[in-house]
Amino acid sequence: MLNAIKISEYDEPEMHGRDFLQLSDFETEEILYLLDEARELKKLQKQGKPHPFLSGKVLGMIFEKSSTRTRVSFEVGMLQLGGHAIFLSSKDIQLGRGESISDTAKVLSRYVDCMMIRTFSHKSVEELAHHATVPVINGLTDLQHPTQVLADLLTILEHKGNLTGLKLCYVGDGNNNMAHSLMEGAVKVGMHISIASPEGYSPNQAITDHVKGMAKQTGSSVLITHNPIEAIQNADVVVTDVWTSMGQEDETDKRLAVFESFQVNKELCEYAKKDYIFLHCLPAHRGEEVTEEIIDGPHSVVFDEAENRLHAQKAILKALLS
Ligand code: CP
Ligand code: NVA
């Protein structure tokens, strides 16, 4: 049953011209609207019906870190919407040689209709958005990965038929971009969330406080623990992410030891609900944060999740630009 959320229940929110930096900037109704739009766009694409809502529009995509899914899904998404995307590696543009973010923002705003950036510091994205006169989309920072989590919510909705009241458990690095965006996204749509991570790797305190405040309004609950078994009890959705994120490669050996008992494996998943689904934003390290048995097993929906990046991002682009 996929009709738990109907667009007709909401007034169409005004998102034109806004930035998409983190999910906490958006109202629950706006997130539900984007999910509904994503499902409509997915339907059109599957039926082979053209949907050139962004004819003639151009997206500039700045990448300071590697990417497979984000780059390809944004590029294909713009093409399917009738527009065009330009890949701008920081190795090749002047930003990588020290040109300022503000000058880059002002110049690119004269050419493109929207910018997407994947970078290290969240402050860089905020600075780009501050100086740009076109919408800026966060394609991942050290702090947040909001476009991924919109795709995750779409995947959960498709597989579970609803979002509100479900329990999502994240086991792993609680202080990374995925954990933070999952906390914001889950709580916005009324899901319960538990995060299990080793001591010293709990989520950012300011985000935790903010999310706990939001949870009071949406009827969600937030559990932050160091105990994976406590966190995963009766979970509908189990999520993990790499133990070493991009930019942390120097800490790989230390992290392998610290996170050893935070692996998502068959023994741990025995405590989740029988019909749980498993999500991972990918790329994954089989044998580290998750066993092959789980990520390639019957509960895993990771490739639906990867596909949904395309549909969720088309909904974002359409809302900000059309
Ligand atoms: N999940 C994700 O953002 O993948 P990429 O790093 O390949 O873009
Ligand atoms: N936490 C991971 C996500 C990759 C999509 C990283 O930042 O490397």
Side-chain angles (χ1 to χ4, degrees):
M1 208 279 279
L2 290 179
N3 293 326
I5 291 170
K6 283 216 177 66
I7 186 61
S8 50
E9 290 171 19
Y10 307 101
D11 291 335
E12 190 169 330
E14 181 54 61
M15 278 187 263
H16 182 84
R18 283 175 65 184
D19 299 315
F20 193 86
L21 305 192
Q22 54 250 325
L23 291 166
S24 55
D25 292 342
F26 291 84
E27 301 297 331
T28 298
E29 288 71 18
E30 292 172 331
I31 293 172
L32 298 181
Y33 170 78
L34 289 174
L35 292 173
D36 210 63
E37 280 281 282
R39 285 166 60 186
E40 287 302 316
L41 289 163
K42 184 169 182 175
K43 218 183 288 169
L44 290 174
Q45 195 236 324
K46 297 284 177 200
Q47 291 167 349
K49 291 188 182 155
H51 42 283
F53 295 109
L54 299 184
S55 175
K57 304 272 188 198
V58 178
L59 171 73
M61 309 189 297
I62 303 172
F63 280 91
E64 296 202 86
K65 289 176 173 172
S66 304
S67 171
T68 298
R69 282 144 287 268
T70 306
R71 176 185 174 179
V72 177
S73 55
F74 266 108
E75 198 162 328
V76 170
M78 278 305 286
L79 189 79
Q80 290 179 356
L81 288 167
H84 182 75
I86 306 174
F87 174 68
L88 302 164
S89 162
S90 63
K91 290 192 197 95
D92 301 324
I93 60 172
Q94 299 289 9
L95 186 68
R97 292 184 57 249
E99 184 167 15
S100 69
I101 291 178
S102 60
D103 281 0
T104 304
K106 288 170 194 166
V107 170
L108 290 181
S109 293
R110 302 283 180 120
Y111 304 133
V112 301
D113 301 284
C114 185
M115 279 180 237
M116 196 282 302
I117 180 166
R118 166 168 287 198
T119 187
F120 294 86
S121 164
H122 197 70
K123 285 201 165 56
S124 301
V125 179
E126 289 172 342
E127 196 183 342
L128 189 81
H130 178 72
H131 292 284
T133 55
V134 297
V136 170
I137 299 173
N138 176 1
L140 180 148
T141 63
D142 292 343
L143 198 68
Q144 298 274 1
H145 197 2
T147 60
Q148 175 70 54
V149 169
L150 193 70
D152 291 3
L153 294 178
L154 177 62
T155 310
I156 298 165
L157 180 60
E158 286 178 340
H159 282 273
K160 292 284 171 197
N162 204 355
L163 294 170
T164 309
L166 294 181
K167 174 174 174 177
L168 184 149
C169 165
Y170 173 95
V171 178
D173 184 1
N175 195 242
N176 81 4
N177 38 30
M178 279 307 297
H180 296 147
S181 293
L182 280 166
M183 286 165 74
E184 293 189 355
V187 166
K188 278 279 175 187
V189 298
M191 293 174 74
H192 305 293
I193 182 157
S194 56
I195 307 266
S197 47
E199 276 179 47
Y201 297 86
S202 294
N204 172 290
Q205 196 55 52
I207 292 177
T208 304
D209 293 343
H210 185 60
V211 160
K212 283 187 173 170
M214 290 194 307
K216 290 195 185 112
Q217 289 155 24
T218 60
S220 304
S221 60
V222 181
L223 171 72
I224 310 291
T225 175
H226 301 308
N227 182 342
I229 294 178
E230 182 192 8
I232 206 171
Q233 295 284 346
N234 288 320
D236 299 282
V237 184
V238 177
V239 193
T240 189
D241 186 17
V242 289
W243 290 340
T244 304
S245 285
M246 290 181 277
Q248 300 171 332
E249 288 78 5
D250 290 353
E251 300 173 26
T252 302
D253 289 345
K254 180 184 158 203
R255 283 171 172 268
L256 278 173
V258 170
F259 284 93
E260 201 184 359
S261 54
F262 288 80
Q263 184 186 63
V264 174
N265 53 36
K266 196 162 177 269
E267 292 70 46
L268 184 64
C269 290
E270 296 289 338
Y271 295 93
K273 283 216 180 115
K274 281 200 168 49
D275 62 347
Y276 79 92
I277 53 172
F278 173 76
L279 273 74
H280 189 311
C281 65
L282 306 178
H285 291 182
R286 287 167 172 77
E288 292 183 18
E289 74 273 8
V290 60
T291 56
E292 206 175 296
E293 191 175 23
I294 295 295
I295 195 168
D296 298 319
H299 295 269
S300 176
V301 295
V302 297
F303 298 110
D304 291 343
E305 180 187 4
E307 178 188 332
N308 281 337
R309 294 295 302 279
L310 173 67
H311 310 298
Q313 282 153 206
K314 283 166 74 180
I316 297 169
L317 290 163
K318 180 171 178 274
L320 304 185
L321 294 183
S322 74

